[in-house]
Amino acid sequence: MDRLKFTLGNARDDLLRDGDDWDKFSRFWEDLPLDPYMGDGGTYRRRKHSLISYTVADGTVASIDQDGFLQSKEINRLNGGIVRRFEPADQALLDTSVFRRLLAHFVARIERSTPDGAPVPAVRRINVHQHRIVATQRETGNPTPEGIHRDGVEHIVMMLIARRDVTGGVSTLYDNTRSPVLTHTLTDPGDYIFLDDRTAMHSVSPVRVAPAAAEGYRDMFFLEFC
């Protein structure tokens, strides 16, 4: 069995030095529509989703038309087994320099970790997810309502865009026997967990509004390399 493979970092420290570019990038989380597919009846998640192709040689990004987003019940016990159709990420987000640098950086890291002799795809398919989890005095936000799970892909980037007026949101990584290996809180914009999904499972604790605040949120960006 493969040991759990992951790294922690901060993208703004590692590869993004221009604060203005990050500020423009993070504004794309301000207009996310409500996720209408929550099996627990929650109204705390807002999201967009796109499937893209990435040509490694020249960095070309193209949106792939798809008839919805489907996960199996084995992968997602709460919301799996149905086709979910979300509004796609804005093309303007896909065109930002921040997005392009993130793609190039993590694709290169995946290639460097590929065993000698193993095939390296010339074109990669990548799920792009934008999430905002909202917490209010009436409703707790739940980043992973499906519980401990894996996403059923190759590698995942789980990156914090913003946290405001919330507590909780603690990430836990587990090995394939569901034994916890790491507990970590993404606190600063750009903090990320880069995870080999085949070697691990993960969950995030509920997000609660901070005392004296009416509402808070946790914005996340996910890249799933299929």
Side-chain angles (χ1 to χ4, degrees):
M1 181 181 296
D2 287 340
R3 63 179 178 83
L4 192 153
K5 299 176 182 176
F6 70 94
T7 57
L8 307 177
N10 183 285
R12 299 177 75 184
D13 294 337
D14 296 347
L15 68 151
L16 304 172
R17 299 294 181 180
D18 190 329
D20 289 341
D21 284 353
W22 177 268
D23 291 343
K24 294 172 185 175
F25 179 69
S26 65
R27 290 185 195 125
F28 287 99
W29 273 254
E30 296 302 324
D31 65 343
L32 302 184
L34 184 70
D35 183 340
Y37 297 102
M38 298 304 297
D40 62 358
T43 60
Y44 51 80
R45 183 157 71 185
R46 290 147 176 78
R47 72 184 296 179
K48 289 184 179 181
H49 165 259
S50 288
L51 177 64
I52 65 168
S53 66
Y54 178 78
T55 303
V56 177
D58 61 8
T60 299
V61 172
S63 295
I64 299 175
D65 291 334
Q66 58 172 345
D67 187 21
F69 178 61
L70 177 63
Q71 292 178 306
S72 70
K73 274 287 187 181
E74 289 73 22
I75 293 295
N76 189 329
R77 292 174 296 172
L78 181 69
N79 297 318
I82 61 170
V83 176
R84 293 177 284 167
R85 295 177 174 86
F86 300 110
E87 185 176 323
D90 294 354
Q91 183 61 46
L93 180 150
L94 304 181
D95 290 337
T96 61
S97 61
V98 168
F99 181 71
R100 299 306 177 98
R101 280 183 280 174
L102 290 174
L103 281 182
H105 175 78
F106 287 107
V107 166
R109 289 179 62 172
I110 292 171
E111 290 195 352
R112 288 196 298 269
S113 68
T114 301
D116 291 342
V120 176
V123 179
R124 289 192 173 271
R125 290 166 62 94
I126 303 166
N127 280 309
V128 178
H129 300 273
Q130 295 173 263
H131 286 195
R132 168 170 285 189
I133 300 297
V134 177
T136 66
Q137 296 292 344
R138 300 183 310 276
E139 185 177 36
T140 297
N142 197 346
T144 55
E146 63 272 48
I148 301 171
H149 70 286
R150 72 175 79 251
D151 287 3
V153 294
E154 182 184 290
H155 288 83
I156 314 167
V157 178
M158 301 179 280
M159 182 177 297
L160 180 73
I161 301 300
R163 283 178 66 109
R164 182 171 181 177
D165 292 332
V166 293
T167 62
V170 180
S171 299
T172 302
L173 303 183
Y174 310 81
D175 64 20
N176 282 327
T177 69
R178 292 181 174 244
S179 297
V181 175
L182 174 78
T183 298
H184 180 71
T185 304
L186 303 173
T187 57
D188 297 324
D191 281 352
Y192 67 78
I193 301 171
F194 180 44
L195 179 67
D196 186 330
D197 187 58
R198 299 161 297 187
T199 69
M201 307 182 84
H202 58 276
S203 68
V204 183
S205 69
V207 172
R208 293 179 171 83
V209 66
E215 181 176 295
Y217 59 83
R218 178 179 184 263
D219 289 350
M220 290 293 296
F221 183 51
F222 301 93
L223 296 173
E224 295 179 338
F225 297 86
C226 304

